[in-house]
Amino acid sequence: MAREGVSGVVVATSLQARDTTEKSVVARAHELGVPVVAYGFRDDSVADSSGSKLGDIVASDHRAGGYLMTRWLIEQRGCRRLVPYLRVKSSIREAERFPTWWQQRVAGYRQALDESGLEPFAPLEVDAVFRDEAMDLSAREADARYLAGYLATLLHLPDRPDAIVCASDYCAAVASEAVDYALEPSSP
C-alpha cells in the first residue's frame, strides 16, 4: 500500500459483518504505516492484542439516535404509548442477543420516556426468521407475518401502542408490513 502511494485507508463495516476481514485490513495498513479510519467498528476491534489503537474510528451515537427518535415521536407526533420491537435470535447466547449498538439505542429510548414521564411498554421480543441468504423480500415478508402474530392482539387493545420503535431500517420495514397484516380482517 505504502509503495503504491496510498496515503490513507477508510475501512467500513456493516452491523451484519463478522469484521475479521476488515480487522485484518486495518492491521495490515497500520503495519505499513498507512493511516486508517474505521467506520462502523467497535472501539475494541480497531486495536491490537495489547489494546494499542491501530486507527481512528467514526461511529454512530446510537444512544443519541434512540433518544432523538423517541423524543420526536413524543413531541412531534404526540405518541404516548411506544413499544420497542426487538428482533432477536433465541438460538444464540444471551450476551450476544442484544448487540451494544442496540442496547445504546434502547437506553436513549428509555431516557426520552423517563424525561417525558411516560411508562415504557414491555418490548416485543420476537424470534427472528433468519436465512443464510441475504435479507431479501421473502425473508422480510416471513418476518412481518411472524411479527403480525404478536401484534394481532396488542393492536386491538383499547390502550394499544401508538408507535413501534424499531432499531433498524429492516425492523421498520418488517413492522410496517406486520401492522398491515395484523389489522387486516380475517377471512371467514
Side-chain angles (χ1 to χ4, degrees), residues 82-161:
L82 298 89
V83 63
Y85 161 40
L86 312 177
R87 187 173 179 271
V88 301
K89 286 194 230 180
S90 61
S91 61
I92 61 174
R93 293 180 314 136
E94 184 67 30
E96 295 171 356
R97 211 179 248 191
F98 302 108
T100 304
W101 64 268
W102 197 94
Q103 292 173 30
Q104 292 170 354
R105 289 180 187 181
V106 169
Y109 155 83
R110 287 191 176 129
Q111 179 185 351
L113 288 179
D114 288 346
E115 288 177 7
S116 299
L118 300 174
E119 290 293 319
F121 260 75
L124 287 169
E125 292 189 25
V126 179
D127 201 13
V129 179
F130 281 90
R131 293 180 172 75
D132 290 334
E133 69 267 12
M135 296 290 195
D136 61 8
L137 184 59
S138 62
R140 190 176 78 211
E141 183 178 349
D143 277 345
R145 289 187 180 278
Y146 193 58
L147 175 60
Y150 286 79
L151 292 175
T153 302
L154 189 63
L155 293 178
H156 289 90
L157 295 173
D159 61 342
R160 70 183 189 183

Side-chain angles (χ1 to χ4, degrees), residues 40-106:
F41 284 70
R42 299 180 319 271
D43 289 342
D44 63 341
S45 65
V46 185
D48 62 18
S49 57
S50 69
S52 296
K53 188 173 151 185
L54 301 178
D56 294 312
I57 297 173
V58 175
S60 298
D61 185 340
H62 296 289
R63 184 182 182 110
Y67 174 82
L68 292 170
M69 171 181 55
T70 305
R71 292 297 301 185
W72 183 84
L73 287 167
I74 294 166
E75 294 172 2
Q76 301 300 314
R77 304 297 297 173
C79 297
R80 295 290 176 258
R81 295 175 307 281
L82 298 89
V83 63
Y85 161 40
L86 312 177
R87 187 173 179 271
V88 301
K89 286 194 230 180
S90 61
S91 61
I92 61 174
R93 293 180 314 136
E94 184 67 30
E96 295 171 356
R97 211 179 248 191
F98 302 108
T100 304
W101 64 268
W102 197 94
Q103 292 173 30
Q104 292 170 354
R105 289 180 187 181
V106 169

